[in-house]
Amino acid sequence: MLQSHGDYPQLDTPRLLLRGFRDDDLAFMQVFALRPALWRYLPGPEPTAELVAAYHEARLQAQALGQSGDWHFAVEQRDSGCMIGTARLSIQSREHNNGSVAVSLDSDTWRQGLGREALAALVGFGFAELGLHRLSALVDVENIASQHIAEACGFAREGLLRQNFNLRGQWRDSVLYGLLNPARD
């Protein structure tokens, strides 16, 4: 279910709230974002407290500017009221109505179905609210759990991108997943 909090969309699921970032999210992010399990498969440098703070500030600034085409959500667990991760939907092409999605959750919350719930909310937002025709997701070839989540949300494995990103000095392969809007088939 989509709601709006200020000018930023808010996605509600039974156990999660995907919302815009708030100032008080930084303390939660400094806990989960620095855990090696979270960034094991994510490109970019090894996170530091300073990089996490810079990411948080960039999200707050982007929201304030009302950037469209790139939605970064804080993922909040309803029962605790704590931020447990991030979710992103980016428009890749407005001409072709294509977007990409990604979800990263605190490793303490894994294996509870929350990743699938967050991804399903992004899919609903992309198709029902943004009218996209297609969504894609890239998953590290060794990240089997995230591959299962994508498949559980209806994404089809479309191919392997060989050495498409450099993970802290090591070239990595990604599995490309795609999902078409069922209302537009």
Side-chain angles (χ1 to χ4, degrees), residues 3-166:
Q3 296 182 357
S4 181
H5 187 273
D7 291 332
Y8 211 79
Q10 180 173 292
L11 312 179
D12 292 298
T13 76
R15 297 180 295 165
L16 301 173
L17 178 63
L18 282 67
R19 57 166 174 75
F21 284 77
R22 300 186 306 230
D23 289 332
D24 63 346
D25 289 332
L26 181 58
F28 295 108
M29 292 177 68
Q30 293 289 11
V31 173
F32 70 79
L34 296 177
R35 291 188 177 140
L38 179 77
W39 48 267
R40 177 179 177 191
Y41 299 115
L42 299 178
E46 181 176 327
T48 63
E50 294 78 19
L51 285 175
V52 172
Y55 173 83
H56 177 257
E57 182 60 31
R59 299 288 57 84
L60 292 173
Q61 288 179 9
Q63 283 173 199
L65 295 173
Q67 288 182 337
S68 62
D70 199 22
W71 290 269
H72 289 257
F73 294 95
V75 178
E76 179 181 306
Q77 198 166 18
R78 285 186 178 281
D79 62 0
S80 68
C82 295
M83 182 185 177
I84 60 165
T86 62
R88 175 195 51 78
L89 187 149
S90 296
I91 303 294
Q92 302 300 303
S93 169
R94 289 210 182 272
E95 177 185 3
H96 302 290
N97 288 323
N98 291 331
S100 66
V101 293
V103 174
S104 298
L105 297 182
D106 183 350
S107 57
D108 283 352
T109 67
W110 291 356
R111 294 178 180 77
Q112 298 175 32
L114 297 172
R116 183 177 61 242
E117 199 169 313
L119 182 57
L122 288 178
V123 168
F125 177 64
F127 289 158
E129 302 301 323
L130 302 178
L132 296 176
H133 174 71
R134 172 187 163 78
L135 289 170
S136 62
L138 287 177
V139 181
D140 187 283
V141 71
E142 293 181 13
N143 191 344
I144 304 303
S146 289
Q147 291 177 44
H148 289 303
I149 290 169
E151 292 165 5
C153 286
F155 282 79
R157 184 180 176 134
E158 296 183 334
L160 179 70
L161 302 178
R162 296 179 55 229
Q163 297 185 9
N164 68 307
F165 71 94
N166 191 300

Side-chain angles (χ1 to χ4, degrees), residues 128 159 181:
N181 186 336

